[in-house]
Amino acid sequence: MNRLWARVGDVVAVIVAMIGAWLLWSAYSTAAATASFYTRLDRIKGLNEAALPNADYDLHTLPWKVASAAAFDLTSTALRVVTSAKPYDYQAFATIDTKHARTADIVFDSDIQAGGATIGFVQNGKWIVSNSATQSGRFADANTVNLGRDPSLTVVVANDNAAGESRFTIRSLRVYLRR
Amino acid sequence: MFGRATRAVIAIEFAFASLLIVYAGLHDVRDVLAGAPPASPVEIRAVCDAADSTLPCEALTTRLGPGRYRIWTTAPARALSVSLTPERPERARALLLRSTGAHAAVAGSTGVDLNGHRAVVPIEPERRIDVTVTTASAIPSAIALDEIGVYPDARGLTTDMRPFFRAIPPSLYHQTLVPRAVAALCAVTVIAVFFLPSLAVRRWAPYALPVLCFSLCVVDLSALFSPYVTQDLRAMYASGPLQEAPGSNLNGGLYQATRLLAGKGLTTREGVVPWERMPGYGLLCGVAAVLFGHDSLVDVAVSVVLMQAIFYSVAVGVFAWAALRLFTPPCVWAVGLAIAWLPKEIGYAQVDAVIGPTALLVLAALCVRLSHERDRDVPLRVDVAVHLAFALWFVMRPDVLPGWFVVAIALHWQHPRRLLLPATLLVAIGVAWGAYKARYTGEFSMTTTSVGASLFCGLWEVPSRFRLGGPCTDAVYFDWIHQHTPFEPRSTAANSFATREVLRFWVTYPGHLLIMLYGKMMQVLNGDLWPGLATQLQVWVFGVVPRYAIVLPLLTVVAVCGAIGYQRRRTLLLGWPLFLNAPLFWVMFASLGRFYSAVGIALLAAAIPPIYEPAFYKAIAARPWRAAAIAACAAVFAVSAWPIYDWLLRNDALHYWTPLLNPAASPLAGLR
């Protein structure tokens, strides 16, 4: 009986040691992952147009599909969008293969002529990262996100204007997939 | 062999977790206490450009720390012009600015929009730096530059100098990641301590717990007053409490300390002693000022906060030392760490911040006494310690009196001569304070003259349609006293009048009294008994398990102990603030629960130990029906208590029922 209790005690000790290790590891890994995210974000935001490496996808290689945009004009130099009147509707999207990437970065440069815009990634039907602007002027930014297990990722351009229609021009949009 | 290796791994995890907690806190001490690295010395000249040139407008300066200042205008202004002349221009390379809703133009540089966060402007080494601040508002208002300083470089101004994870923004790091990680590490130690050698924990816990507690205090303060996110403690005190009239909640003790050290007595202004406070907190602030610095009121405030953190930590250590006489080391570790982990009020320079640690000293003394009760006679020195701890609470806040009286009777009913101890201490403190105050007020009162005001404000802390219902302030009470009496509102006569009228109001509206008692009790059960601003350190738990779902099971443990007779005396003595202190604030002003810190601590000290004791479960097994009845009652109460409260609030017939006295006779009555 005593030996049985000793065994039970040992098993409990092993479980506690594992719980302790897991809690320590999760505290570290959360901080490490967050630091890694911000390091990447800093790096991406620090890149200028000339220094950007080759993207996995850019404005012209993304397989765009128009959702509700009133006008969607992709030329060799830019993408001009006139949105629908619905304040926050998706205007256009492009679904791509993640190629087993663990993170995805997005870098874009645009001009808002009227209203506002949101540009980002959607995965499993939810925004996983986005940048928004609600004022006229230059709208250039970068972002990064850890990807889920879904093998596809959707780049979305949406309206962000409570008053209705927006007009904007995207000069460049690059997507980087990192394994 | 296998078991020994596993236990060694657990011991390493325990040590590693403890060291990380200590490191997390100690790393932030400078940020919390200093707020910024030392700035280059400068000479400051500030001028207010008044919006209305017919009104006088001054630009005033408060020193926040070495070379760092707050500058503000005393009237609405078009602009605030500041000239900084560095003593060593070659060391002036970065200008720190912070303000809310203002625009700063720095000579030789572009303009800066100030949005409440720190802005650092690179500057060329100049003999003089000119800054012009204008308000962003279209309506002229006073301009405040909450922080300004000149630094050799920008390091340590917008983010802390941490060796790890530097890329993480300070807001996320200090307000979320570190507190949550520290909470997880605390959980590691609470689990791991079961597998450590009992003797080692018994020996080290009274020393280790205060260090961990101090670290937890700093982690909390860093989340609430991070200089890189909102404003540090110094800037907060300079722009908030120290702008209020002397004697307000968060500056009364600071003014008392400063004036005491200047030989002007325990006063807040010339000839004014606080009518609503006991002398202890002012004296404690004085000690803090002497020990940790008192160059300015801002320095005194930071000294007091540091003193409060140390006091809380030491009290946790003393409690652990005493509790080890009664409980097993893992239990003491869990209780001690839980108390250290609770939300605290130590960032605020008010007496409520030290009631928690004072209550811990009372509970520690009671633990020692309980351990001696196994002997035939309890040594006199133990009872002296018990009543000195109670007296310390009394010298801070008089709400201890009912509890002190009942506990003293419970302890000494077999040896009534020992009741002379609390009686002597009570009279000595009360007479000394009464006599001291009488020099200034011309009347004698052993405690405070604010019982009536507290009862008055307590009436309006539950929703009602009474005309006086709503937020209660000193001004509301003073107006009411002036309307109905010729008395000075702070006087004993006004106090007696208010007390009498509140008692009459209770009898006039018994339904409101019932709803008030019930409503405030529910607020306590809902978590008000752990006052203070919760950071992610506590939200890590409270976000998963609501406070109501923690408080009720703990209270059920206390009730089961009482019902089955398991350690009944110990549980009642350690939990006395639950029964003899909390209900006081159901009839008096509870002020969103800030007075309850002793109650929350007592609940943990009384309810956690039985959970760790196998004898508790054997006692339940011996009387299963009693325990089951208590558990069933608790379950029914848990699900029905809030619906009943909602029903009471909607039941106007009961709320405004006047079966005994005519409401027209009450100066408090009258509906909106």
Side-chain angles (χ1 to χ4, degrees):
Chain A
M1 196 64 182
N2 283 343
R3 288 184 66 183
L4 178 67
W5 274 116
R7 280 282 165 82
V8 170
D10 287 346
V11 170
V12 172
V14 169
I15 293 169
V16 166
M18 288 168 69
I19 291 172
W22 174 74
L23 282 169
L24 286 167
W25 172 252
S26 65
Y28 168 77
S29 66
T30 304
T34 311
S36 159
F37 169 84
Y38 281 101
T39 304
R40 270 197 338 262
L41 190 61
D42 276 355
R43 183 176 52 75
I44 292 162
K45 289 194 173 185
L47 289 174
N48 59 38
E49 188 77 18
L52 281 172
N54 290 333
D56 291 87
Y57 295 92
D58 64 23
L59 197 58
H60 297 93
T61 58
L62 282 166
W64 289 110
K65 288 187 177 167
V66 178
S68 63
F72 184 87
D73 181 15
L74 180 60
T75 67
S76 60
T77 55
L79 166 61
R80 292 185 181 81
V81 178
V82 179
T83 72
S84 60
K86 290 198 174 170
Y88 307 107
D89 261 17
Y90 290 4
Q91 302 302 312
F93 60 89
T95 300
I96 55 176
D97 184 354
T98 61
K99 301 174 189 171
H100 305 292
R102 292 177 64 188
T103 64
D105 305 337
I106 184 167
V107 185
F108 61 87
D109 189 355
S110 65
D111 266 314
I112 296 177
Q113 286 89 42
T118 296
I119 297 174
F121 291 140
V122 167
Q123 201 171 35
N124 287 325
K126 291 178 183 167
W127 287 100
I128 52 173
V129 69
S130 65
N131 292 74
S132 297
T134 53
Q135 288 182 332
S136 301
R138 189 173 180 213
F139 175 33
D141 214 333
N143 220 325
T144 184
V145 68
N146 291 330
L147 296 174
R149 289 183 182 168
D150 194 308
S152 67
L153 174 71
T154 304
V155 183
V156 175
V157 174
N159 188 15
D160 191 356
N161 181 12
E165 182 188 283
S166 300
R167 279 179 289 118
F168 49 87
T169 303
I170 301 174
R171 281 194 295 272
S172 75
L173 191 155
R174 292 163 175 249
V175 176
Y176 299 89
L177 299 171
R178 302 182 193 283
R179 287 168 196 90
Chain B
M1 184 65 190
F2 176 70
R4 202 177 295 169
T6 312
R7 281 167 170 75
V9 170
I10 294 173
I12 291 168
E13 287 174 356
F14 178 91
F16 190 55
S18 302
L19 288 173
L20 281 176
I21 296 169
V22 173
Y23 174 78
L26 296 187
H27 174 261
D28 290 345
V29 168
R30 198 211 66 181
D31 288 349
V32 166
L33 299 180
S40 304
V42 290
E43 190 184 305
I44 292 187
R45 193 171 156 270
V47 177
C48 169
D49 178 8
D52 181 347
S53 56
T54 61
L55 291 175
C57 183
E58 276 186 273
L60 301 181
T61 302
T62 294
R63 180 182 174 275
L64 300 177
R68 188 164 64 111
Y69 298 89
R70 178 176 192 272
I71 306 173
W72 74 100
T73 64
T74 56
R78 274 195 294 266
L80 167 65
S81 302
V82 183
S83 292
L84 304 157
T85 309
E87 279 181 18
R88 296 172 63 188
E90 74 279 6
R91 287 183 58 79
R93 303 306 300 268
L95 176 67
L96 170 71
L97 297 168
R98 190 172 66 76
S99 179
T100 301
H103 182 80
V106 182
S109 178
T110 52
V112 188
D113 280 322
L114 301 171
N115 56 4
H117 298 287
R118 282 180 171 177
V120 178
V121 183
I123 48 175
E124 294 299 320
E126 301 264 3
R127 291 188 62 81
R128 202 178 85 172
I129 303 146
D130 292 320
V131 183
T132 305
V133 186
T134 51
T135 174
S137 163
I139 304 162
S141 58
I143 297 174
L145 199 47
D146 294 311
E147 285 182 81
I148 184 168
V150 174
Y151 293 81
D153 54 55
R155 279 181 303 172
L157 294 178
T158 53
T159 186
D160 57 327
M161 307 285 288
R162 70 182 97 108
F164 315 110
F165 310 126
R166 286 184 187 170
I168 302 175
S171 57
L172 186 60
Y173 185 78
H174 291 289
Q175 294 184 328
T176 305
L177 282 177
V178 169
R180 293 181 77 88
V182 167
L185 296 172
C186 288
V188 170
T189 68
V190 170
I191 301 167
V193 76
F194 278 101
F195 296 88
L196 299 185
S198 182
L199 200 63
V201 180
R202 188 173 287 279
R203 186 176 296 163
W204 288 105
Y207 305 105
L209 278 170
V211 178
L212 290 180
C213 180
F214 184 77
S215 190
L216 294 178
C217 290
V218 177
V219 167
D220 261 344
L221 288 171
S222 181
L224 295 169
F225 304 104
S226 170
Y228 315 112
V229 183
T230 50
Q231 53 185 356
D232 66 293
L233 273 170
R234 289 173 180 269
M236 186 277 281
Y237 273 94
S239 60
L242 296 179
Q243 296 293 314
E244 297 168 6
S248 70
N249 277 348
L250 293 185
N251 73 24
L254 308 180
Y255 277 101
Q256 278 184 298
T258 312
R259 293 179 61 82
L260 185 66
L261 294 179
K264 297 175 180 173
L266 210 51
T267 53
T268 52
R269 278 175 290 172
E270 198 58 44
V272 176
V273 284
W275 63 297
E276 78 283 40
R277 297 189 186 106
M278 294 295 284
Y281 190 68
L283 293 170
L284 186 83
C285 291
V287 173
V290 168
L291 290 178
F292 304 120
H294 56 277
D295 288 347
S296 67
L297 275 167
V298 173
D299 287 327
V300 176
V302 173
S303 299
V304 168
V305 170
L306 176 60
M307 181 78 164
Q308 290 176 171
I310 292 172
F311 183 27
Y312 200 106
S313 307
V314 170
V316 167
V318 172
F319 174 77
W321 166 80
L324 279 166
R325 292 162 170 257
L326 298 179
F327 311 126
T328 60
C331 171
V332 171
W333 186 268
V335 176
L337 203 57
I339 291 169
W341 163 86
L342 285 177
K344 293 172 271 303
E345 303 169 272
I346 53 170
Y348 300 112
Q350 58 186 0
V351 66
D352 315 306
V354 295
I355 290 301
T358 307
L360 269 175
L361 296 182
V362 172
L363 298 184
L366 287 172
C367 283
V368 174
R369 194 182 198 281
L370 283 163
S371 73
H372 278 283
E373 284 182 0
R374 297 168 193 153
D375 313 331
R376 273 194 64 187
D377 290 317
V378 175
L380 179 65
R381 65 175 188 282
V382 173
D383 281 334
V384 169
V386 168
H387 293 296
L388 280 176
F390 272 107
L392 179 64
W393 187 334
F394 177 55
V395 89
M396 298 284 177
R397 227 174 54 181
D399 60 306
V400 73
L401 287 178
W404 193 5
F405 178 78
V406 175
V407 171
I409 298 284
L411 295 181
H412 306 308
W413 65 276
Q414 286 178 317
H415 301 93
R417 285 173 61 185
R418 289 207 177 175
L419 286 169
L420 283 172
L421 265 174
T424 307
L425 286 167
L426 192 152
V427 170
I429 294 167
V431 168
W433 181 228
Y436 183 81
K437 282 198 300 180
R439 290 170 53 197
Y440 297 92
T441 61
E443 54 186 19
F444 181 81
S445 167
M446 285 174 60
T447 57
T448 62
T449 52
S450 60
V451 172
S454 183
L455 288 167
F456 171 88
C457 285
L459 288 175
W460 321 124
E461 290 189 305
V462 287
S464 75
R465 290 195 289 115
F466 289 109
R467 67 183 169 85
L468 290 166
C472 188
T473 60
D474 282 356
V476 172
Y477 172 71
F478 292 172
D479 282 349
W480 178 75
I481 289 289
H482 284 308
Q483 279 172 18
H484 297 282
T485 75
F487 306 136
E488 204 287 315
R490 298 176 183 83
S491 66
T492 308
N495 186 40
S496 303
F497 170 79
T499 306
R500 199 168 53 244
E501 288 305 328
V502 171
L503 294 177
R504 187 215 297 260
F505 187 84
W506 290 352
V507 180
T508 307
Y509 290 101
H512 180 72
L513 176 64
L514 173 72
I515 291 169
M516 184 179 83
L517 293 173
Y518 192 89
K520 292 196 191 180
M521 179 191 74
M522 290 309 295
Q523 293 304 331
V524 166
L525 300 181
N526 208 31
D528 273 10
L529 81 176
W530 292 319
L533 292 175
T535 65
Q536 287 293 324
L537 183 65
Q538 295 88 26
V539 172
W540 190 75
V541 174
F542 293 154
V544 179
V545 190
R547 297 186 197 202
Y548 187 64
I550 302 173
V551 172
L552 274 189
L554 291 176
L555 280 173
T556 306
V557 170
V558 172
V560 168
C561 285
I564 65 175
Y566 176 77
Q567 293 287 356
R568 190 180 282 149
R569 180 175 168 81
R570 184 190 81 187
T571 306
L572 291 176
L573 275 179
L574 294 184
W576 73 263
L578 284 168
F579 320 109
L580 301 169
N581 187 251
L584 212 58
F585 299 105
W586 302 349
V587 293
M588 300 180 90
F589 187 44
S591 192
L592 300 173
R594 71 181 160 100
F595 306 125
Y596 285 127
S597 51
V599 181
I601 286 171
L603 177 64
L604 297 180
I608 293 181
I611 299 169
Y612 275 74
E613 293 167 343
F616 175 59
Y617 303 101
K618 286 180 186 162
I620 289 176
R623 290 182 161 174
W625 289 110
R626 285 195 189 189
I630 295 292
C633 289
V636 169
F637 181 84
V639 295
S640 63
W642 283 110
I644 289 173
Y645 183 52
D646 290 341
W647 177 80
L648 284 172
L649 281 181
R650 287 196 306 271
N651 194 330
D652 279 4
L654 172 69
H655 201 155
Y656 306 107
W657 182 43
T658 54
L660 301 171
L661 296 179
N662 181 2
S666 169
L668 289 162
L671 300 177
R672 279 193 291 240

